[in-house]
Structures are given as structure tokens and as C-alpha cells.
Amino acid sequence: MSAEVSPQPKAMTRPKRWTDEVEEAYRFQIAGYRDEIEYQAFNGKVADRWPDNGYIKKLQRKDGYFYYYNRKRECEDKDVHKCKMYSY
Amino acid sequence: MSLVAAHPKHTSKGGAQADGFSTKSRLKGVKVTGPPDAGAFRERPAKPTSFRKFYERGDFPIALEHDTKGNKIAWKVEIEKLDYHHYLPLFFDGLCETTHPYEFFARQGVHDMLEHGGPKILPVIPQLIIPIKNALSTRNRKVICTTLKVLQHLVVSADMVGEALVPYYRQILPILNIFKNHNLNSGDGIDYSQQKRENIGDLIQETLEAFERHGGEDAFINIKYMVPTYESCMLN
């Protein structure tokens, strides 16, 4: 349970249009994480994913509560520009 | 039918009016009024739900945060570990609610539990029928819309759920039959889930088709029995 050990990103870009990667980032960022790297460093486990398309199914927030996600796309066009794509 | 309509009522145009079958209705120049509304489409207010009671008492394993990002519920417990026999009927009970936050938490709670319940949903079906029937019977357009979408989600939520609903068509379908031809928009206010599908007539048609597709071979004839104007979407 230490957020400090997670590697820090070097750069951040804003996506222009929706892709699977944007969907992934959107789901993590709703739950309060940057991305899967921070999630794994914080929780010490991999995120649950839908078996058919690999989208995130369930995330545990930093306060211990759970967020559940739909099988289909959740990040609407109006939310795409709010996502942050980190690179290391 | 009241027989004491002694005095013909006078309208603004000057002609007298009287109730049908009354003595006055036989007088010359009296306009006989039509029968009163039977009230088939009239809204019937729902009784206070136990969902509301449980919610206010804090019995649900959900975090009551009113500033959530997006439209999500934060669950305190993993949904997989919830007792579906207890919680799923309670959330369905909340479908009658029309006010925030009850309406939101009931709808979203049902959605999450159906999406992630898998095989735990099927054994609970018999307990869901009364809440569904209550919600539909309110005849509130918004409540019916929400309940229809929930029903569509329910039949695809797990294997055999569609078939398990067939014996309960008698409870669910009468209201659908009443509103089947209501192809008017129910209002412009709410944007629930991501699509604005609020046309009751269309929603009912979609729901019946979903029932037929997932209800097995007995589904069509049972739907037809309760909704005579329904035509099969698979046989034709």
C-alpha cells in the first residue's frame, strides 16, 4: 500500500478522439488512478477485466470502495478530452 | 352512474348538459355528456418504498456520495459477495421512486447488480416480480421507461432468465398492453443512462421482442395471450 513506489510519468497528452486506450485511461481516472501502472503499484494486483473485450470490469478505489464498469464503451465523446494519456 | 343529476348544467355556449341516462338527458336541447374517464392511464402514486427506508437508514453497501464523477455508485462491498436474495429485490423496489437520490441509486444499483451478477440472478427472479409489477402499475411514464429498460437488461443478464420470466407474463404484461400504443414522447427532462430512449410505445415493442427472443419456444404464445396486438419478430 504505497503510492510512492509507482514510477512517475514523464509526459502527458490529451486524446483527440476515442480509442480503446482512451477508454482504458478513462476508467482508471474515474476511480482516481493515473493508469494501470499506478493501480498495480497501489493495490498490488491486476485490475479485473471483461473476458470478451478486455475492458476494465472492476476497480478498487484508494478508499477501498469499488467501481464497476459496463461491458460496452463508457467514455462518451464529451469526456474524451478530459482523459490524460501518460507516457513513461 | 348518478341518478340525482337533477339540474341540467349550463355550458358557456348556453346549451344545457346532462349526464347520460339521467332524466334530464331526455329533455329537448340538452347535450348529453360522455362518460367519465375510467382512469386506465391515470398515474397512481406509489406507496413509500422499503428501498427509501433502507437507503435512509444506511443499510445499503453503497457510498452515498452525491458528487460522483460520471454516473457511478461506489460499492463498499464487492458485488460478487452480496446476498442477491436480499439486495436485488430491494433495489428493484426502488424503481418506483421518482425523486433524486433514490431514483438514481435504485436504477444504477439494479444496473450494476444485473451487469455483474451472472448466475446469481436466476434464483431471485420470483422475488423480483412484485417490485416490477408495482413499478409498472404506478403508470408514471418515467418509471415505466426505467422499468422497461431494466426488463430488457434483465432478460440478457444471464442464461435462462428470459425463460424464467415466462410464467410471470400475466403479472408484467397487462400494463405493457395498455401503453403499447403510446407512441408519444414522455417528456424532455431526464437523460438516464446514455441513450435518450423515452418513447414508451417503442420501448414496449423492444421489450416484448427481447422477451420473445430470450424466452424460449413458449414465449411468443404467452406474450400474444396477454398482448393480442403483438406480432412475432421471429416467426415472420
Side-chain angles (χ1 to χ4, degrees), chain B residues 110-130:
Chain B
V110 165
H111 175 87
D112 281 2
M113 288 188 80
L114 291 181
E115 184 95 350
H116 301 271
K120 294 170 87 174
I121 298 169
L122 183 60
V124 195
I125 293 288
Q127 291 163 263
L128 304 180
I129 304 304
I130 290 181

Side-chain angles (χ1 to χ4, degrees), chain B residues 15-28:
Chain B
Q17 283 192 335
D19 290 339
F21 304 105
S22 62
T23 330
K24 298 287 175 195
S25 68
R26 300 174 189 215
L27 294 178
K28 251 185 200 164

Side-chain angles (χ1 to χ4, degrees), chain A:
Chain A
M1 282 286 179
S2 60
E4 302 308 317
V5 294
S6 72
Q8 296 300 306
K10 294 275 187 292
M12 185 273 285
T13 53
R14 299 278 188 179
K16 292 277 182 274
R17 59 178 60 84
W18 182 87
T19 59
D20 283 350
E21 291 75 36
V22 175
E23 180 73 33
E24 169 110 350
Y26 175 78
R27 294 181 181 217
F28 276 109
Q29 283 158 24
I30 279 188
Y33 298 94
R34 272 197 301 271
D35 48 24
E36 178 151 37
I37 296 173
E38 191 194 3
Y39 184 81
Q40 280 188 14
F42 191 87
N43 289 301
K45 60 185 178 189
V46 293
D48 279 16
R49 289 170 184 278
W50 285 102
D52 42 355
N53 54 17
Y55 287 165
I56 299 293
K57 185 177 190 314
K58 177 176 85 171
L59 291 180
Q60 186 167 16
R61 296 195 321 191
K62 289 180 179 172
D63 57 8
Y65 295 168
F66 296 90
Y67 268 163
Y68 283 82
Y69 297 88
N70 296 340
R71 180 169 301 173
K72 297 200 182 105
R73 169 180 173 176
E74 283 200 15
C75 178
E76 292 177 63
D77 283 338
K78 68 179 169 63
D79 298 319
V80 166
H81 72 282
K82 296 179 197 157
C83 297
K84 298 174 178 179
M85 312 299 288
Y86 292 97
S87 47
Y88 293 86

Side-chain angles (χ1 to χ4, degrees), chain B residues 91-116:
Chain B
F91 276 104
F92 267 78
D93 191 52
L95 291 176
C96 297
E97 295 286 354
T98 52
T99 48
H100 192 73
Y102 313 107
E103 177 265 342
F104 166 72
F105 281 108
R107 174 163 47 79
Q108 196 60 33
V110 165
H111 175 87
D112 281 2
M113 288 188 80
L114 291 181
E115 184 95 350
H116 301 271

